[in-house]
Amino acid sequence: MSPPSYDSTGVEFYTIPSFKFVSGPSTDVRVAYRCFNPSAQKAVCIPTCFGGRINTTLSFTAEDQALRAYRVIVVAMLGNGESSSPSNHPDFPKSLDYRDCINAQHQLLTNHLGIKELEAVIGFSMGGQQAYHWACMYPKFMKYAVPICTSAKTSLHNYAFIEGPIAALTNSIDYEDGAFRAKGIKPIRGLRAFGRAYCAWAMSAPWFRERQFERLGFSNVEDFIQSNWEDAFEAWDPEDVLILARMWQAGDIGKVREDGDYLKALDAIEAKMLVMPSRTDTYFPPEDSEIEVQHLKHGELAVIETVWGHMAGGGANEDDTLWMSERIAKFIGTEPSLVGNLKQTRLE
């Protein structure tokens, strides 16, 4: 999760005039992004995840990681509070669609940054759902896509899970049935309840049984819940949280097609796909990824063997991050010397 303090290091903005949303409205929007290694020739786009900011997003650009030699653009999806969102845009639509996020990112990359093609799109969780949408909406724009701990279509079980935290927020007394802003208050209790309801799903049962929270510096589970989840969500705007949660629930690459068939949308993807679920993810389980890979022309499954649940894909555990980095390096053809360095790091 994002820490309460905001890190704006390297963050830039691009304004798109009269941007048209899928739901109909048109308004100017601002897209927040950060470029790593801006002089590199090959470009990779990494959209943010739910609860993520640009500088909390795993970019794989560290010295021993897979994208150190790439031009990496981390982009804040619409609605996350950095790019245009309900919290910072008075005319922001009431609903948001992944296609809105991808269209805005495409305009940023092509019209502003002058990028004509991407080597890859890589994303974790909601960022991974955006990677799937990228591959469907702009099939010739990237060679590779790497969806991590995610799915091409949000499952019914996943939908039901997120209903719990949403209900905790929207039924809180200080949410005021949505009138909190008009009354000049922030629903702190509701936001903290959202985080508390969410936290157990993000990790796995073995993670809690092994008391892995102690590795993060917490002496007991209650301190972990309060500091790592309640405090984190308290820093967010409630309408940003809700519009992203609703977009997540509605995630479905089938919407890119007229017939709405997400399996046919998977069949039509041309990019080479490395699908990386976590073995212990409770709401994007590996079984769903196995089904999706069967429908990909150029799909490869690489399961992260971990007890860190969903959060393994976001960089929560160093060993899992190194394994993912090595796997991505092999997949996109990073120079052999770098792959060797990664193997050595893993062995040590």
Side-chain angles (χ1 to χ4, degrees):
M1 289 303 303
S2 303
S5 59
Y6 177 65
D7 178 7
S8 62
T9 304
V11 176
E12 301 180 73
F13 299 91
Y14 171 60
T15 298
I16 304 173
S18 301
F19 179 82
K20 186 171 178 60
F21 286 83
V22 170
S23 58
S26 294
T27 185
D28 294 356
V29 297
R30 194 170 73 157
V31 181
Y33 67 98
R34 181 178 180 183
C35 287
F36 295 85
N37 308 321
S39 62
Q41 291 186 339
K42 294 181 178 180
V44 174
C45 178
I46 302 180
T48 56
C49 67
F50 184 81
R53 306 291 196 191
I54 287 172
N55 282 317
T56 64
T57 297
L58 182 59
S59 66
F60 298 103
T61 55
E63 184 62 26
D64 61 346
Q65 293 183 351
L67 303 182
R68 70 175 188 185
Y70 289 81
R71 181 185 184 187
V72 175
I73 304 96
V74 178
V75 188
M77 63 178 159
L78 297 173
N80 93 320
E82 294 175 298
S83 291
S84 289
S85 309
S87 63
N88 59 30
H89 194 306
D91 298 320
F92 201 81
K94 299 299 182 184
S95 65
L96 190 59
D97 189 287
Y98 276 121
R99 290 169 289 179
D100 297 321
C101 297
I102 305 313
N103 284 330
Q105 291 166 25
H106 185 263
Q107 290 194 45
L108 164 73
L109 296 177
T110 57
N111 297 347
H112 182 54
L113 298 178
I115 295 173
K116 296 180 179 179
E117 67 173 358
L118 289 169
E119 191 71 7
V121 180
I122 299 173
F124 160 66
S125 195
M126 284 187 77
Q129 292 195 310
Q130 289 170 82
Y132 266 122
H133 278 76
W134 259 109
C136 291
M137 294 172 63
Y138 297 97
K140 298 187 182 301
F141 197 72
M142 82 289 300
K143 297 178 183 177
Y144 307 97
V146 183
I148 302 171
C149 296
T150 192
S151 64
K153 179 179 180 179
T154 299
S155 70
L156 297 177
H157 176 251
N158 198 336
Y159 179 99
F161 141 59
I162 201 63
E163 275 296 294
I166 287 174
L169 170 54
T170 57
N171 287 287
S172 67
I173 190 170
D174 53 358
Y175 185 72
E176 296 281 357
D177 292 325
F180 63 92
R181 209 181 301 279
K183 295 185 178 183
I185 60 175
K186 183 175 181 178
I188 300 298
R189 290 176 62 175
L191 287 164
R192 294 184 72 85
F194 187 100
R196 180 171 284 266
Y198 192 121
C199 75
W201 286 83
M203 306 307 189
S204 71
W207 188 90
F208 282 96
R209 185 167 57 248
E210 295 172 12
R211 302 181 66 87
Q212 292 285 345
F213 53 81
E214 293 178 350
R215 290 183 54 187
L216 301 176
F218 300 103
S219 59
N220 58 68
V221 71
E222 183 60 29
D223 287 346
F224 167 71
I225 294 171
Q226 290 184 15
S227 297
N228 210 56
W229 290 92
E230 290 187 345
D231 289 354
F233 274 105
E234 183 179 331
W236 277 73
D237 179 90
E239 298 303 340
D240 292 352
V241 169
L242 291 172
I243 203 167
L244 291 183
R246 292 303 186 194
M247 180 167 66
W248 170 0
Q249 287 182 308
D252 180 359
I253 61 170
K255 294 178 181 179
V256 175
R257 298 173 54 90
E258 290 186 6
D259 61 12
D261 191 324
Y262 102 100
L263 292 178
K264 289 182 179 178
L266 285 170
D267 290 333
I269 291 175
E270 295 294 336
K272 295 178 181 179
M273 306 283 291
L274 176 63
V275 180
M276 302 180 75
S278 162
R279 178 67 68 193
T280 51
D281 196 325
T282 54
Y283 47 95
F284 288 111
E287 292 82 1
D288 290 351
S289 295
E290 290 171 4
I291 294 170
E292 291 177 352
V293 168
Q294 291 174 9
H295 290 269
L296 293 170
K297 290 191 188 83
H298 313 290
E300 187 175 333
L301 183 72
V303 180
I304 309 166
E305 300 294 346
T306 180
V307 300
W308 282 72
H310 181 68
M311 299 307 290
N317 179 41
E318 184 178 2
D319 287 344
D320 297 329
T321 299
L322 288 172
W323 186 86
M324 287 188 293
S325 184
E326 178 182 341
R327 200 66 191 77
I328 291 169
K330 291 179 181 178
F331 182 68
I332 65 176
T334 300
E335 64 270 21
S337 60
L338 176 55
V339 176
N341 289 342
L342 290 168
K343 286 182 177 178
Q344 185 63 31
T345 303
R346 183 85 171 165
L347 290 170
E348 290 173 352

